[in-house]
Amino acid sequence: MQAPDRLTYDIDRGYSAVIIGKHRWDKAPGGTWKRSPQLPITQPTPPWVAATNARVLGATTARGRPAWRVSFFDPKTPGWFTVVIDRETLRTLDLRMVTTAHFMHEVYGSFDAAPAIRAPRQG
């Protein structure tokens, strides 16, 4: 993710996408990039919409830094989340989400560094 309107993802053995402003490129496994229009997005945004039943599960260490493990339920997804939050910066470092027929694990890093998100080469 990159503010204000860029996002890219690559699912292992799955689909890939790049979103830049009003444009989007998608690629099926083994396929080629296909460009399409996109409503602009705002980044960064968390993958949850609301949070209920939040609990601090305990203290931990993440990348050598003190952190908290926190769990909550998002009734709008609906999904259960467990996040690791840096105690000093309050940044989310690690996220796990479980919902019906779907789960994901995201690791966050390179804060305040602009990753190169560019349009893919066609073909």
Side-chain angles (χ1 to χ4, degrees), residues 66-120:
W68 289 300
R69 286 187 66 241
V70 176
S71 181
F72 58 89
F73 178 71
D74 176 359
K76 296 193 179 194
T77 297
W80 292 264
F81 290 80
T82 302
V83 295
V84 175
I85 300 169
D86 184 299
R87 279 198 257 178
E88 183 180 330
T89 65
L90 302 180
R91 289 180 170 145
T92 302
L93 302 175
D94 189 277
L95 174 139
R96 293 178 188 271
M97 186 271 302
V98 177
T99 188
T100 305
H102 181 75
F103 62 91
M104 66 184 191
H105 178 216
E106 296 180 353
V107 178
Y108 300 97
S110 301
F111 298 105
D112 298 323
I117 297 179
R118 296 187 182 97

